[in-house]
Amino acid sequence: MSNRPFIAFACAHMTDERLYAHQVAALTDAYEIKIFVFREHATMAAMAEEILQKTPEKFTLVGLSLGGYVAFEVIRRASERLQRLVLIDTTAVADHPARKDGRRQDILKVQQGGIEALIPELPGRWLHPTHANQPVLVDLMGEMARSVGAQGQFNQQTAMLARPDSHEDLRGLRIPTLLVCGRQDPVTPLADHEAMAACVPGARLEVIENCGHLSTIEQPRAVTDVLKSWLEHSES
């Protein structure tokens, strides 16, 4: 590994490295970067251990949605290794019964019809209405979902079904923390980010306008600008 600061990017459900393409392109000269796509593990514990095994002793962790859930598990296991934390479009709230039912329905849908049965539903679920019909984004989401695959979808959903509430874990943090949320995120709303920010002394919350759940690809430049500026000015 180089002497540059290390950033680990943890991907969201049904996404791969392309979720962070714009951000990584802007940061790669100044930072050592590794992106984690979770296909093979069916527990948050195993996902967190993969990150801990493939990162240096001290690193910055960025997680979007599922990536944020994995970040909470990293905190529970080895918070002392984190220099900084960035949580994007995620929530510390455990799944309520209706959301668990939705996850089980998605598992069944893919088991019965393959990953292609689920892909058409994803843009409407996750993206801002003005983005949900943009061919470039719709195609990208489909390609990333195929990259994760049916088994990866099952593993990710299984892990998310078992995740706990994580607000208490955040309350113990004393590191620079940034939260980023799409203003119109329909999955992990702004109120959830406000609650997380309130748990961490000095946490900064940035809202991305005209944006849904996948802010890094819906408003890539805005997210990159926020992230780059914060990294440059936050204490490590």
Side-chain angles (χ1 to χ4, degrees):
M1 294 183 182
S2 73
N3 291 323
R4 293 176 292 169
F6 194 102
I7 304 178
F9 285 86
C11 287
H13 179 48
M14 302 293 281
T15 71
D16 64 14
E17 293 89 349
R18 288 167 283 189
L19 179 70
Y20 295 114
H22 193 279
Q23 293 73 44
V24 168
L27 297 170
T28 191
D29 289 341
Y31 299 91
E32 187 78 12
I33 292 171
K34 184 170 181 59
I35 305 175
F36 291 85
V37 182
F38 306 105
R39 300 181 179 92
E40 300 175 357
H41 305 303
T43 67
M44 291 295 167
M47 294 175 184
E49 283 300 320
E50 181 183 356
I51 290 177
L52 292 169
Q53 290 168 12
K54 297 179 180 179
T55 50
E57 188 61 28
K58 295 287 188 178
F59 64 100
T60 295
L61 179 55
V62 180
L64 193 157
S65 196
L66 167 63
Y69 309 156
V70 179
F72 301 143
E73 186 63 29
V74 170
I75 292 167
R76 285 188 281 273
R77 289 170 176 267
S79 62
E80 72 281 358
R81 291 188 49 190
L82 294 179
Q83 290 180 313
R84 293 175 290 193
L85 176 66
V86 182
L87 299 171
I88 307 175
D89 296 296
T90 191
T91 182
V93 178
D95 281 355
H96 52 71
R99 180 156 293 181
K100 287 187 176 184
D101 286 345
R103 295 196 190 284
R104 295 186 183 102
Q105 290 168 15
D106 279 358
I107 289 172
L108 183 60
K109 185 185 296 288
V110 173
Q111 287 176 336
Q112 292 178 339
I115 203 70
E116 296 298 331
L118 184 61
I119 285 173
E121 299 182 18
L122 300 180
R125 289 186 188 182
W126 294 348
L127 302 184
H128 186 283
T130 60
H131 301 148
N133 293 313
Q134 290 185 10
V136 171
L137 287 176
V138 171
D139 290 347
L140 175 58
M141 291 181 69
E143 291 169 5
M144 290 194 295
R146 293 183 189 99
S147 166
V148 171
Q151 185 61 50
Q153 185 262 358
F154 175 83
N155 289 340
Q156 291 177 357
Q157 291 285 26
T158 300
M160 289 189 287
L161 279 165
R163 66 187 184 85
D165 186 280
S166 299
H167 289 94
E168 195 62 33
D169 302 294
L170 288 174
R171 291 188 182 97
L173 281 185
R174 295 297 182 269
I175 58 173
T177 300
L178 172 68
L179 296 102
V180 181
C181 178
R183 173 76 71 181
Q184 292 82 22
D185 187 335
V187 182
T188 57
L190 178 57
D192 288 8
H193 294 76
E194 293 170 340
M196 289 186 289
C199 291
V200 185
R204 177 175 167 185
L205 172 59
E206 292 284 345
V207 180
I208 307 300
E209 301 297 337
N210 300 310
C211 189
H213 186 56
L214 297 183
S215 58
T216 55
I217 61 173
E218 291 187 66
Q219 298 288 0
R221 185 175 300 277
V223 174
T224 297
D225 288 348
V226 166
L227 180 58
K228 187 175 182 181
S229 175
W230 182 82
L231 288 169
E232 289 172 352
H233 293 97
S234 62
E235 296 179 0
S236 59

